[in-house]
């Protein structure tokens, strides 16, 4: 179903994205070591990744780095990787190789990895074993690997890049700037410095594509929706497939009854929670900056002035500069503009 709210796993349910899928297929056929798949939230990264992994006939490990706590430790990392390896197809294809790895135990269709003690298994050693087969290692929202122990995976990645020709890594990131900072290919102190990464960016749908996507989705679900509503939904959500899907799915669940205001409120509420998370972890100033930008303070001097008014104190240039840079790296704004219109509305409710 095109308008199913979960990430898609089959090309039949994926609207368009032929170009990106072909690019992924070509890159992996060429055995490129690292692919970064980026795009704003809800643009379809996980869907593209899962459709692709289902289409290739190669063993793969898929992990979601969003599951790691911010200050994750070795145990969290090993537990995530072992859960990624704990799937039937992977174990069936890899059983003989895995059996030889010291510090790894197979129990049914689950994998146990030792992370400390005499039996402990170093990740580069594990990856050298995996390299005996052509394997894809996919990390969804890989910027989640950042943190005090972030170099463990990065060192492993650098090792695999240099020695494990059979491994390819696909890393997705909705916070593209943070992901690229983490990988640090332009940073001399990063283990990945100077390596090359294939970048694939997923863009939003055009207006026509958005309309076509909704039309096809409603048709498939057997509901008839007047074109004026389809156009209004498209206006609201600026080609972001996740929002279009949410809107479409809500309408289908209500058997075609349309309440645009309610759909809008529902989306704003979701975005609001996400923004609240950012304000909680990075500080209230971030929310004030975003709110000011949403209200039209869209140049350096207007914004600085406004922020100083709101906070009742002078704000050092570097503080504002750093906050803006972080918000760009989080893919929330670019050049004083919101990348997602729903975020722009949501911050106004703060
Ligand atoms: N090309 C597409 N065709 C059909 N549905 C799509 C497409 N792209 C995204 N969707 C739908 O949009 C929603 C978001 O997609 P997905 O979770 O894949 O995006 P994402 O970029 O991984 O999002 P997030 O940043 O939140 O992890 C899902 O409901 C998914 O089914
Ligand atoms: Mg995702």
């Amino acid at each position: 179903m095109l308008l199913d709210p979960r990430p898609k796993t089959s090309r039949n349910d994926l609207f368009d994205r032929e170009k990106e899928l072909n690019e992924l297929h070509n890159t992996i056929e060429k055995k490129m070591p690292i692919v970064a798949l980026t795009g704003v939230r809800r643009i379809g990264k996980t869907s593209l990744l899962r459709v692709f992994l289902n289409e290739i006939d190669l063993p793969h490990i898929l992990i979601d780095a969003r599951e790691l706590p911010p200050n994750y430790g070795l145990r969290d990392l090993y537990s995530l990787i072992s859960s990624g390896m704990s799937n039937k197809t992977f174990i069936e294809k890899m059983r003989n190789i895995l059996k030889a790895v010291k510090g790894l135990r197979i129990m049914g269709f689950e994998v146990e990895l030792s992370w400390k003690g005499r039996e402990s298994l170093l990740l580069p050693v594990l990856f050298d074993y995996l390299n005996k087969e052509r394997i894809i290692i996919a990390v969804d929202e890989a910027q989640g690997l950042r943190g005090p122990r972030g170099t463990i995976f990065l060192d492993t990645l650098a090792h695999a890049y240099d020695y494990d020709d059979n491994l390819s890594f696909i890393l997705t990131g909705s916070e593209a700037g943070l992901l690229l900072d983490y990988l640090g290919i332009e940073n001399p102190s990063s283990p990945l410095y100077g390596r090359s990464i294939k970048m694939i960016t997923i863009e939003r749908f055009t207006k026509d594509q958005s309309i076509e996507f909704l039309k096809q989705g409603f048709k498939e679900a057997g509901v008839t929706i007047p074109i004026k509503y389809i156009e209004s939904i498209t206006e609201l959500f600026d080609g972001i497939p996740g929002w279009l899907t949410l809107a479409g799915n809500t309408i289908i669940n209500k058997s075609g009854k349309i309440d645009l205001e309610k759909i809008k409120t529902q989306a704003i509420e979701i975005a609001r929670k996400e923004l609240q998370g950012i304000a909680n972890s990075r500080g209230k100033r971030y929310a004030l900056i975003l709110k000011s930008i949403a209200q039209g303070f869209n140049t350096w001097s207007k914004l600085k002035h406004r922020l100083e008014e709101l906070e009742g104190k002078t704000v050092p240039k570097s503080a504002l500069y750093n906050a803006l840079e972080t918000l760009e790296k989080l893919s929330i704004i670019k050049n004083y503009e919101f990348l997602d219109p729903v975020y722009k509305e949501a911050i106004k409710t703060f």
Side-chain angles (χ1 to χ4, degrees):
M1 288 270 293
L2 279 171
L3 294 175
D4 186 310
R6 277 162 304 186
K8 304 302 185 305
T9 53
S10 136
R11 197 187 278 243
N12 291 336
D13 296 324
L14 194 70
F15 182 80
D16 191 54
R17 304 304 190 204
E18 301 285 329
K19 184 171 82 57
E20 292 86 349
L21 273 173
N22 286 343
E23 223 176 330
L24 261 179
H25 278 289
N26 290 336
T27 311
I28 294 303
E29 260 164 40
K30 285 190 204 134
K31 287 194 163 186
M32 279 286 289
I34 305 177
V35 186
L37 195 60
T38 59
V40 294
R41 287 214 62 182
R42 280 172 272 270
I43 203 79
K45 300 172 295 294
T46 305
S47 297
L48 194 69
L49 178 63
R50 295 198 55 191
V51 169
F52 174 74
L53 290 175
N54 275 342
E55 284 186 352
I56 45 164
D57 191 21
L58 292 175
H60 62 261
I61 299 172
L62 170 60
I63 62 177
D64 180 359
R66 250 188 312 213
E67 287 175 24
L68 290 169
N71 289 321
Y72 73 89
L74 212 51
R75 189 180 57 81
D76 301 306
L77 180 63
Y78 275 56
S79 140
L80 189 65
I81 294 174
S82 70
S83 71
M85 295 170 76
S86 298
N87 79 71
K88 193 164 176 257
T89 341
F90 181 76
I91 291 177
E92 276 172 351
K93 285 186 181 164
M94 298 292 293
R95 189 179 293 276
N96 284 335
I97 292 169
L98 296 178
K99 272 192 335 208
V101 185
K102 206 175 142 215
L104 181 153
R105 242 166 36 122
I106 306 172
M107 325 243 293
F109 293 114
E110 289 197 75
V111 169
E112 215 181 67
L113 298 177
S114 300
W115 59 280
K116 86 172 175 191
R118 246 177 355 111
E119 286 275 288
S120 69
L121 170 64
L122 294 174
L123 290 183
V125 175
L126 170 65
F127 284 18
D128 287 348
Y129 274 104
L130 297 180
N131 185 51
K132 291 180 197 296
E133 282 279 335
R134 174 89 178 110
I135 288 181
I136 308 301
I137 298 164
V139 186
D140 204 6
E141 299 296 344
Q143 72 278 350
L145 290 161
R146 293 157 61 252
R149 308 308 295 272
T151 51
I152 297 170
F153 192 84
L154 215 50
D155 284 333
T156 310
L157 206 53
H159 169 81
Y161 189 107
D162 292 349
Y163 294 101
D164 299 334
D165 301 346
N166 264 334
L167 304 185
S168 288
F169 292 81
I170 306 177
L171 312 172
T172 84
S174 44
E175 295 164 352
L178 292 189
L179 175 61
L180 296 180
D181 266 7
Y182 171 63
L183 298 175
I185 52 171
E186 287 173 8
N187 172 4
S189 60
S190 162
L192 276 180
Y193 177 60
R195 309 298 201 287
S196 93
I197 290 179
K198 168 72 182 176
M199 296 286 303
I200 299 179
T201 310
I202 312 181
E203 306 289 351
R204 63 198 68 215
F205 292 162
T206 61
K207 187 162 180 249
D208 288 347
Q209 279 176 318
S210 304
I211 291 174
E212 194 50 38
F213 172 54
L214 288 172
K215 272 189 186 167
Q216 283 186 20
F218 287 134
K219 189 167 174 212
E220 185 189 27
V223 293
T224 315
I225 305 296
I227 184 71
K228 66 170 186 189
Y229 289 115
I230 293 184
E231 282 174 351
S232 306
I233 298 170
T234 307
E235 288 300 324
L236 278 179
F237 295 125
D238 195 24
I240 297 180
W243 292 133
L244 298 172
T245 305
L246 179 79
N249 191 259
T250 308
I251 293 172
I252 291 169
N253 287 339
K254 296 229 158 43
S255 315
K257 204 171 136 271
I258 300 162
D259 184 343
L260 281 183
E261 269 316 302
K262 209 163 172 186
I263 289 173
K264 198 173 157 188
T265 321
Q266 184 189 7
I268 288 175
E269 195 43 44
I270 295 172
R272 190 187 144 80
K273 286 202 184 110
E274 290 166 7
L275 286 166
Q276 190 64 58
I278 291 171
N280 291 346
S281 64
R282 300 193 178 261
K284 201 168 150 235
R285 175 171 283 169
Y286 280 75
L288 289 180
I289 292 175
L290 287 175
K291 188 165 179 168
S292 306
I293 293 176
Q295 288 166 336
F297 298 90
N298 57 1
T299 63
W300 170 266
S301 52
K302 279 193 218 165
L303 185 61
K304 187 160 182 293
H305 190 89
R306 171 70 172 174
L307 193 61
E308 288 175 341
E309 288 288 337
L310 291 172
E311 290 192 355
K313 60 184 179 201
T314 56
V315 175
K317 272 190 207 153
S318 60
L320 180 57
Y321 178 84
N322 290 340
L324 285 171
E325 191 181 48
T326 303
L327 288 166
E328 291 209 357
K329 285 182 179 171
L330 289 167
S331 302
I332 296 174
I333 53 163
K334 186 152 195 201
N335 298 330
Y336 307 96
E337 299 259 9
F338 279 79
L339 296 182
D340 180 335
V342 181
Y343 270 52
K344 183 172 177 181
E345 291 309 308
I347 197 72
K348 291 181 186 163
T349 67
F350 271 58

